[in-house]
Amino acid sequence: MVCNLNVILFRKNSSEYDIIPHIDEGDHKPLSICNDAFGICKCTTTIVFGEYESNTSEPVSDDLLNYLLLVSPNTTTFWNFKRKALLNNELSVDPELSQWIIHRYNYLNDHKFLLSELELCNKFADKYRCNYGLWQYRRFLLLHQQNPEIYKIELDNLNVWLAKHPTDISGWSYLESVLDGLVSQSMVVALSPMLDDQKLLLENSTRIIQSYFEKVHDILELYPERECVWMFRRRLITFWIQLNRHQSSYNSNESIMKLLSQVEPLLPKALNIITQLKSSKIYFTGFSFNEFLNWSYKNNLCKEPSTFKWTDLLSWRYLFWLSEYLSSLLKKLELIS
């Protein structure tokens, strides 16, 4: 039953399924099929989990683990089972494959398998968007891939997902992980002698980050109350600096400001804050966000903080971070020069 159901659901893209509460009375069916729709009894979790626990000497069936996730997708433990099986080379994906008898197969090095697992995660994420175990497993897969193509695939998937869930923290947090991997890979390229295709990768990464600045600004116009988008905006700034740090022009305050002016409309406001802060004692001693707000109010930069709405706090907290980040960046350049 487990194998057949997985074949139908995951390989033939059946349209939908539901988990049916278990009832002891009457004619009990663990699986009900109606055209392309399925009803799966909750009791099958115990049955299949028992099969997993009893299987200690042989590689674990991927179909069995997928079935556990299908029946109970919000159980983080089941996602951890998959991660453990992959790390220990204990996963059996193809029942016909006898390769593991000679030596256990490392699917983390299998590009095709990783793509199929990421696609599986994408399907689950569409239905269970706040599933912590799912997103963590997806990050785990991302960490073990070496092909730049996967970043593009994941970004395409996330663009579709975030279009449906534009304010969901899970998607923005995972997007940060994808971009972090992309930027890190691009920086390895930037610090080595570059061929034309490597230069193209770096240029493409820069364009991608720039495009997300535009998306974030548009989203914050519509949803200024979404803290996760403001936090993601911070990471975009650091990614942008990372990608452009290798340039020969990256050696002065003016060049950095010119660089950031391309993507950050709040830059003039942050620079004005920094300029006024330099004449204040707190610039050298450090200060909290509350102290920053009180200082801004006294210097006629903002209204009375006690009257702030949530959206005001978010935008000023971002300005606070941006001012601190830029101050630190500029101080380092002064020390170097």
Side-chain angles (χ1 to χ4, degrees):
M1 180 185 71
V2 174
C3 183
N4 289 339
L5 185 59
N6 273 291
V7 168
I8 295 170
L9 282 173
F10 294 117
R11 298 177 190 173
K12 294 189 177 180
N13 297 318
S14 294
S15 58
E16 59 182 281
Y17 63 90
D18 283 303
I19 307 302
I20 303 171
H22 176 68
I23 300 175
D24 287 327
E25 301 175 357
D27 184 18
H28 175 256
K29 292 183 179 180
L31 173 64
S32 299
I33 304 175
C34 180
N35 297 325
D36 287 335
F38 292 82
I40 308 167
C41 182
K42 185 69 176 176
C43 73
T44 57
T45 307
T46 304
I47 299 170
V48 179
F49 183 59
E51 185 178 337
Y52 170 83
E53 285 193 311
S54 64
N55 183 21
T56 57
S57 59
E58 297 180 354
V60 184
S61 165
D62 190 48
D63 279 333
L64 184 147
L65 292 177
N66 283 345
Y67 190 81
L68 285 173
L69 293 174
L70 183 71
V71 179
S72 189
N74 289 314
T75 303
T76 301
T77 303
F78 295 159
W79 291 100
N80 290 338
F81 285 165
K82 291 208 81 172
R83 178 163 44 199
K84 179 183 175 183
L86 283 170
L87 284 172
N88 296 333
N89 297 340
E90 294 175 346
L91 192 69
S92 174
V93 174
D94 189 343
E96 303 299 323
L97 184 68
S98 59
Q99 185 176 6
W100 62 267
I101 297 176
I102 303 171
H103 66 278
R104 294 173 186 261
Y105 187 68
N106 186 357
Y107 281 99
L108 287 175
N109 292 331
D110 188 319
H111 178 64
K112 185 178 179 181
F113 173 77
L114 286 177
L115 282 176
S116 68
E117 285 294 282
L118 287 168
E119 177 59 27
L120 176 69
C121 289
N122 196 46
K123 289 181 180 180
F124 272 111
D126 199 42
K127 192 168 185 178
Y128 307 98
R129 59 189 180 88
C130 296
N131 188 320
Y132 175 79
L134 155 69
W135 292 105
Q136 286 298 93
Y137 179 68
R138 201 168 179 175
R139 286 185 177 88
F140 163 75
L141 294 173
L142 198 67
L143 285 172
H144 287 83
Q145 66 83 31
Q146 304 294 328
N147 194 324
E149 176 194 352
I150 287 186
Y151 291 119
K152 182 182 183 306
I153 293 171
E154 283 294 86
L155 287 174
D156 288 343
N157 288 336
L158 277 171
N159 287 339
V160 173
W161 195 89
L162 285 169
K164 297 178 183 177
H165 316 287
T167 64
D168 193 285
I169 189 172
S170 300
W172 289 104
S173 178
Y174 180 67
L175 175 58
E176 183 181 318
S177 298
V178 177
L179 292 177
D180 191 25
L182 180 67
V183 169
S184 297
Q185 193 173 69
S186 300
M187 290 312 299
V188 171
V189 168
L191 296 173
S192 61
M194 286 191 283
L195 302 174
D196 288 343
D197 58 339
Q198 292 175 319
K199 289 180 181 178
L200 188 62
L201 172 63
L202 182 60
E203 291 170 1
N204 187 50
S205 299
T206 304
R207 281 195 297 270
I208 288 172
I209 297 298
Q210 188 165 12
S211 71
Y212 276 108
F213 271 108
E214 296 168 4
K215 290 179 183 178
V216 162
H217 297 156
D218 290 343
I219 288 173
L220 286 175
E221 284 290 323
L222 294 172
Y223 308 102
E225 75 282 1
R226 299 309 298 177
E227 184 178 15
C228 59
V229 185
W230 284 103
M231 297 301 292
F232 179 75
R233 187 172 178 173
R234 297 185 187 188
R235 289 295 283 138
L236 285 180
I237 290 288
T238 60
F239 288 149
W240 187 250
I241 292 295
Q242 276 182 268
L243 284 171
N244 289 279
R245 186 171 287 167
H246 70 284
Q247 296 182 9
S248 58
S249 60
Y250 184 89
N251 55 13
S252 67
N253 293 359
E254 292 76 16
S255 62
I256 292 180
M257 295 308 107
K258 184 177 180 180
L259 185 67
L260 287 172
S261 65
Q262 301 173 38
V263 293
E264 182 48 80
L266 288 177
L267 181 63
K269 199 167 185 177
L271 290 177
N272 181 42
I273 289 171
I274 292 172
T275 301
Q276 295 198 44
L277 273 173
K278 284 184 176 180
S279 60
S280 169
K281 291 181 180 179
I282 62 173
Y283 179 74
F284 300 97
T285 59
F287 47 92
S288 67
F289 178 53
N290 284 336
E291 289 172 327
F292 170 74
L293 284 182
N294 290 330
W295 173 86
S296 298
Y297 173 63
K298 290 177 182 177
N299 286 272
N300 299 315
L301 295 174
C302 72
K303 60 185 179 181
E304 165 60 49
S306 63
T307 66
F308 273 16
K309 298 178 181 178
W310 173 241
T311 52
D312 297 323
L313 283 172
L314 288 176
S315 61
W316 273 93
R317 193 170 70 179
Y318 176 75
L319 275 171
F320 172 62
W321 173 84
L322 185 60
S323 302
E324 281 201 318
Y325 178 75
L326 291 178
S327 295
S328 174
L329 203 63
L330 298 177
K331 285 176 183 177
K332 287 178 182 177
L333 273 181
E334 289 172 4
L335 289 173
I336 294 172
S337 59

